[in-house]
Amino acid sequence: MASKFLILAFLAITSSLAFADPSSLQDFCVADLKSSVPVNGLVCKDPKLIEANDFFFSGLHLAGNTSNPAGSRVTPANVAQIPGLNTLGISLVRIDYAPWGINAPHTHPRATEVLTVLEGTLQVGFVTSNPDNRLITKVLQKGDVFVFPVGLVHFQHNVGKVNAVAIAALSSQNPGVISIANSVFGSKPAISADVLAKAFQVDKDTIYNLQSKF
Ligand code: MN
């Protein structure tokens, strides 16, 4: 009986160590972008040297250039722009959409996203994982908020006749982006057309045509 209790206690302690919330042990860890030490995240700058600008970014009032095939532009404000976000698990983007512009299907490997529409009308959606692959979609107006759960493929489409603008918060200092079309058809070197033709159940010429766009 006692040994059973000890085993349970041991399991509880080791599992709490393995899954402990990695709470910050300091007020902040402003990224030292010049350090070449490889760590999970970025090395902290000497706290005595930090300044307000380490926590500051100006530019989300500026519309991104949407003159591109997708008709959209993402302006990030993550740890690359704001070193003070290092280790804090949060960042922002501004997204501009021309009329009928899209933010093409993509996923963030390290973040859930909460998107708020500031201007315009967006159809948004995400797809649940296998085997259901259910599309969860909604048309959003100014002031509406929508959540894209971590890892799921999602998109936005400006279905209005005017420009649209959104601000999204992401639960990582460095959310990462995997654009589905670019990953699948634009990898370097390319995934073999044999693989993609079988995967998409089309002929290889269709694959070559798709690959030529990326
Ligand atoms: Mn996204």
Side-chain angles (χ1 to χ4, degrees):
M1 196 66 192
S3 66
K4 198 173 182 184
F5 174 79
L6 283 174
I7 290 166
L8 284 173
F10 176 77
L11 285 174
I13 290 164
T14 51
S15 63
S16 73
L17 287 175
F19 301 108
D21 183 38
S23 303
S24 226
L25 303 176
Q26 52 216 342
D27 283 351
F28 43 73
C29 167
V30 172
D32 177 357
L33 299 173
K34 293 185 204 105
S35 171
S36 60
V37 178
V39 295
N40 184 23
L42 295 158
V43 169
C44 311
K45 203 165 136 175
D46 181 346
K48 290 193 287 298
L49 302 179
I50 69 104
E51 50 192 43
N53 277 346
D54 289 321
F55 301 91
F56 171 77
F57 174 79
S58 177
L60 288 196
H61 61 302
L62 300 172
N65 180 358
T66 58
S67 301
N68 54 62
S72 75
R73 176 72 62 180
V74 176
T75 306
N78 61 44
V79 73
Q81 290 78 33
I82 309 176
L85 285 177
N86 192 35
T87 75
L88 295 182
I90 192 166
S91 60
L92 286 181
V93 292
R94 170 185 171 131
I95 314 168
D96 288 275
Y97 314 80
W100 307 107
I102 58 159
N103 186 12
H106 65 278
T107 173
H108 305 288
R110 293 178 289 278
T112 288
E113 174 174 347
V114 187
L115 179 140
T116 305
V117 179
L118 299 186
E119 296 293 340
T121 304
L122 294 176
Q123 190 198 4
V124 303
F126 66 81
V127 179
T128 68
S129 58
N130 299 354
D132 294 345
N133 300 132
R134 183 175 161 213
L135 174 63
I136 308 294
T137 184
K138 193 162 175 70
V139 175
L140 307 182
Q141 310 292 345
K142 180 173 181 168
D144 291 350
V145 175
F146 200 81
V147 176
F148 304 108
V150 60
L152 299 186
V153 173
H154 60 279
F155 64 89
Q156 299 101 39
H157 184 196
N158 180 1
V159 292
K161 294 187 178 69
V162 297
N163 291 341
V165 184
I167 294 276
L170 295 120
S171 60
S172 170
Q173 66 183 44
N174 180 27
V177 186
I178 299 170
S179 298
I180 305 306
N182 301 54
S183 300
V184 175
F185 298 110
S187 69
K188 296 172 207 67
I191 299 174
S192 109
D194 290 312
V195 171
L196 294 179
K198 273 215 173 77
F200 288 86
Q201 299 288 296
V202 294
D203 58 43
K204 283 204 271 181
D205 284 339
T206 304
I207 297 298
Y208 294 137
N209 186 27
L210 285 164
Q211 286 174 327
S212 73
K213 315 275 186 204
F214 295 92

